Amino acid sequence: MIRRQFLILTGALGLFACSKPAEKAPPTPALPKRLPETGLDVPPDTVRVAIETSEGQIVLELDGKHAPQSTANFLHYVDTHKLDAGTFYRAIRAGDAGFIQFNSGDRTYPPIPHEPTSQTGLSHTDGAISTARYAVGTASNEFTICVGDMTYLDAGGTATPDKQGYAVFGHVVSGMEIVKRILKSRLNGENLVNPVVITSAHRIT
């Protein structure tokens, strides 16, 4: 009798030991951190974006570590496809140097705080991508790309009466030949006779 009860007990323990433990519910994904000034997602320290244009591809590497507001704003436009069908419409030349400027029309989000180069440590060197603005704090959907060093656009330079300059937030890593070709396009004043269209823009890292 005792032996029979022992066998029943050990059998039950064996079944318990072999049973699959209860699975834990997967953790709830953490909400992305937000930039308090704008509510935009905190960007990666570095991220690459491919811009497909009617002249070819331009690849940018954005510096979210040093210029988080400007990078997050640009990625917001990229991720919601508001750069698509916009144009490089303007070029400012200074010999072989200068910059080209992009606009996506009235497809805008609220403007962002200014990130001067004196704060970020970045500069308008060859291939730099920068916000375009009027007064400080008005940057939204327009940006420029430098050809050659254009450091007069930095904070403290002569480009803006307020001496705050423009906000650099990355640089071109591939496709500078496209940027240079756009800069040399035929102009009517400062405007391109044939604006160059962005057909799509998307993250690649």
Side-chain angles (χ1 to χ4, degrees):
M1 180 68 175
I2 293 173
R3 178 178 174 78
R4 184 166 176 263
Q5 290 176 340
F6 175 78
L7 290 173
I8 292 171
L9 178 62
T10 54
L13 288 172
L15 286 172
F16 178 78
C18 293
S19 64
K20 186 178 181 181
E23 293 184 1
K24 292 182 179 179
T28 304
L31 291 173
K33 294 180 181 178
R34 308 277 183 175
L35 295 168
E37 298 89 344
T38 58
L40 296 173
D41 291 351
V42 173
D45 284 354
T46 59
V47 57
R48 290 193 175 189
V49 170
I51 294 178
E52 311 294 343
T53 81
S54 53
E55 291 292 320
Q57 184 188 76
I58 303 168
V59 178
L60 307 170
E61 183 169 277
L62 310 183
D63 191 338
K65 181 177 181 179
H66 295 100
Q69 299 285 357
S70 304
T71 298
N73 179 64
F74 187 81
L75 290 174
H76 194 198
Y77 282 96
V78 168
D79 294 341
T80 56
H81 305 289
K82 288 188 180 292
L83 299 185
D84 300 2
T87 59
F88 288 104
Y89 73 98
R90 182 179 182 230
I92 300 294
R93 297 175 184 160
D96 290 332
F99 64 81
I100 61 174
Q101 187 166 341
F102 171 87
N103 180 275
S104 61
D106 59 0
R107 290 168 293 161
T108 62
Y109 291 115
I112 59 169
H114 183 52
E115 292 177 311
T117 55
S118 55
Q119 170 186 309
T120 63
L122 305 176
S123 183
H124 288 85
T125 53
D126 187 40
I129 179 171
S130 174
T131 62
R133 67 171 178 89
Y134 295 103
V136 166
T138 61
S140 59
N141 67 335
E142 293 204 35
F143 64 87
T144 63
I145 300 177
C146 290
V147 175
D149 293 346
M150 306 290 287
T151 55
Y152 78 97
L153 299 169
D154 290 349
T158 59
T160 58
D162 55 36
K163 299 296 184 181
Q164 292 299 299
Y166 299 93
V168 177
F169 61 97
H171 63 280
V172 174
V173 293
S174 175
M176 273 303 291
E177 70 279 6
I178 306 300
V179 177
K180 292 175 181 177
R181 189 185 308 158
I182 296 171
L183 182 67
K184 293 178 180 178
S185 298
R186 192 156 57 97
L187 299 177
N188 179 10
E190 295 179 350
N191 295 322
L192 272 66
V193 172
N194 297 303
V196 174
V197 178
I198 287 184
T199 54
S200 68
H202 57 277
R203 302 192 199 206
I204 54 177
T205 59

